[in-house]
Amino acid sequence: MLMKSIAAGLAGTALLATVAFAQNPTATTDKSPPAATATTTTTSASGEWRASKMAGVKVYNEANENIGSINDLLMDKSGAVKIAVIGVGGFLGMGEHLVAVPYEKLKFVNEAVAYTGTGANPNAKPAATTTTGAATGTEKTTTTTTSSSSKWYPDHAVFNATKDQLKNMPEFKYSE
């Protein structure tokens, strides 16, 4: 019985494939190019950020302490971003506490976090250091911050709260 079903399925597939290959596309003799119906307003978006790249952006407080990272952005029906979902604590996404904060309360910064101490703030990112000159003991070391405008996302966000304050906020849960 199984062999008859398989044979019937193969025969039906062969018939359908034959009909599909037998059709020829219609040729047009008009050599004029088709009229463009859609217009584009811009071909480049310099200075804009991609929403898909915002997830994972680190969030610091005003004391340059890492307090979490952006997990998601929620928008209203008109497309305006209203809420940033920030993940606080946890390790590799496990045990992370999600909180919803108003998007307008975040301040985005395109420069690296300034690291001003030795061990006082281990969560802050150090600025990039560049050494110029020959290795003769007369090197000149300069500290620079790089702009992330070419990365399509900001370097980090600033939110006025401590990590403990965020952990004490009500947990955000996605409704099904």
Side-chain angles (χ1 to χ4, degrees), residues 25-162:
T26 57
T28 59
T29 56
D30 186 16
K31 299 290 184 193
S32 64
T37 57
T39 59
T40 59
T41 57
T42 181
T43 57
S44 101
S46 65
E48 303 294 330
W49 294 329
R50 293 176 60 184
S52 62
K53 298 287 186 183
M54 296 296 283
V57 168
K58 300 283 185 212
V59 180
Y60 293 83
N61 62 14
E62 292 175 351
N64 286 343
E65 297 169 328
N66 183 348
I67 58 174
S69 63
I70 296 175
N71 279 24
D72 208 349
L73 298 175
L74 305 178
M75 62 182 72
D76 63 12
K77 292 181 191 228
S78 70
V81 177
K82 296 294 184 181
I83 295 174
V85 178
I86 298 177
V88 184
F91 180 72
L92 298 175
M94 301 294 290
E96 190 172 48
H97 181 75
L98 298 179
V99 295
V101 299
Y103 184 74
E104 67 270 2
K105 299 286 184 183
L106 290 175
K107 177 184 161 195
F108 292 97
V109 181
N110 252 353
E111 295 176 356
V113 175
Y115 183 67
T116 57
T118 58
N121 189 3
N123 290 329
K125 292 191 266 182
T129 56
T130 306
T131 303
T132 58
T136 61
T138 61
E139 298 92 354
K140 182 171 71 172
T141 303
T142 57
T143 302
T144 60
T145 57
T146 58
S147 172
S148 61
S149 62
S150 63
K151 295 189 302 186
W152 290 92
Y153 57 93
D155 182 74
H156 67 278
V158 176
F159 184 71
N160 190 18
T162 65

